[in-house]
Amino acid sequence: MRIAFYAPLKSPTHGTPSGDRRVAGLLMDALAQAGHRVEIASTFRTYDGDGDATRQAALCEQGAMLAAQLVEQWRAAPPEERPQLWFTYHLYYKAPYWLGPPVARALGIPYVIAEASHAEKRARGPWRLGHEGSAAAVRQAAVVFCPTRDDIPGLEKLIDARRIVHLPPFLDSAPYRAAIERRGELREELAREHRLDASVPWIAVVAMMRGGDKLASYRVLAQAAERLEDLPWQLVIAGDGAARADAAQPFDRRACLLGSMRQRRVAEVLAASDLCAWPAVNEAYGMALLEAGAAGVPVVSCATRGVPDVVLDGRTGVLVPYGDEDAFAGAVRALLTDHERRRALGREAARYVAAERSLEAASARIATALAAL
């Protein structure tokens, strides 16, 4: 099919790296691999992080105008150039969906969503308009792909459960498998370039350095690090951002800051490391945790929201109760001091991601769901 793709929170072409931009690109790749022709319908961003009712109303109005323009444009185009399905990624109350529903209705094509959430408490808050718009969009959707089981109960209040398809987070595992094959070489290279001690365990972190939840996770990690001062280890951080000083300062000499880097290099850094530790404060699921598993690195994180859909406790890593900082530090300590368990968890993580969370597996699941339309 010809598919019009749109991400109201952040377009795949957005200039700032993030998990959201990454997942949008992966969805486009999965659709293309299933044989569909995918084109970005618009880069119009509907995000309002401040709860500004005036801005939200203006975005709604602008969205309606853009939707009308798209309908006019496609109606004037030859049939073979019109989309046959509209696909949106990441819809929620702060980034509602003003384009897809009216365009899909006007053109008489199916409307599909990947990653949506719904919580009744938002009906009375400063994002009421976005909440209502998102709920209406979900009700219209023929299929809602859900990356985590955590969001399903809320969505079932809006649509029949048969229209919800669990599509777990996925990635292209090829670069990670290639990096695993070069682990020793990559570790020596990184140690030489950044003066790292290759004889001690490396704890990898892949996360942007920005305020809010990301900085909160860095602070929890710093508190855990204080409890591990008696052990040899090195923190290797791939990420950058406006909060770099605040995020990195607590680790002092223990942290090696690599900055932002391309995805292939991230895979190499992870494969060269010994474990990944990240508290995942208020994260939907954490693509970086899935990346660590793909690179054969066990993960220590918290059993919150969609993280259990990415890290299998006791199988590909260790999950502790959310907010239990002692348990988090204890789990990191246990893996730092148990080389064989790290290796066993890492091997299973790489096997699991390659077999069940690959681009190919996701593409097949999407193709099956769309074929029913």
Side-chain angles (χ1 to χ4, degrees), residues 129-154:
L129 182 62
H131 168 83
E132 292 172 352
S134 295
V138 170
R139 290 189 186 99
Q140 184 179 326
V143 174
V144 177
F145 291 106
C146 203
T148 77
R149 294 178 177 86
D150 187 59
D151 288 328
I152 292 177

Side-chain angles (χ1 to χ4, degrees), residues 145-198:
F145 291 106
C146 203
T148 77
R149 294 178 177 86
D150 187 59
D151 288 328
I152 292 177
L155 294 172
E156 287 179 336
K157 295 178 180 178
L158 299 176
I159 58 174
D160 190 296
R162 288 172 294 184
R163 288 155 63 189
I164 301 172
V165 176
H166 184 221
L167 179 68
F170 63 93
L171 47 70
D172 179 0
S173 60
Y176 302 88
R177 294 197 304 271
I180 290 173
E181 295 297 319
R182 299 176 55 220
R183 182 181 189 278
E185 172 193 342
L186 291 169
R187 190 175 177 92
E188 289 180 8
E189 177 186 301
L190 282 165
R192 185 172 58 253
E193 288 180 1
H194 300 282
R195 298 181 181 179
L196 295 169
D197 185 349

Side-chain angles (χ1 to χ4, degrees), residues 4-55:
F5 186 95
Y6 174 56
L9 178 58
K10 184 178 282 188
S11 169
T13 60
H14 194 279
T16 303
S18 70
D20 232 72
R21 188 184 76 172
R22 176 91 190 287
V23 174
L26 283 166
L27 283 166
M28 292 185 68
D29 290 343
L31 289 164
Q33 185 156 317
H36 303 296
R37 192 178 83 189
V38 188
E39 295 181 0
I40 296 175
S42 175
T43 58
F44 174 53
R45 196 173 189 214
T46 66
Y47 179 72
D48 168 47
D50 300 322
D52 183 336
T54 302
R55 172 174 166 75

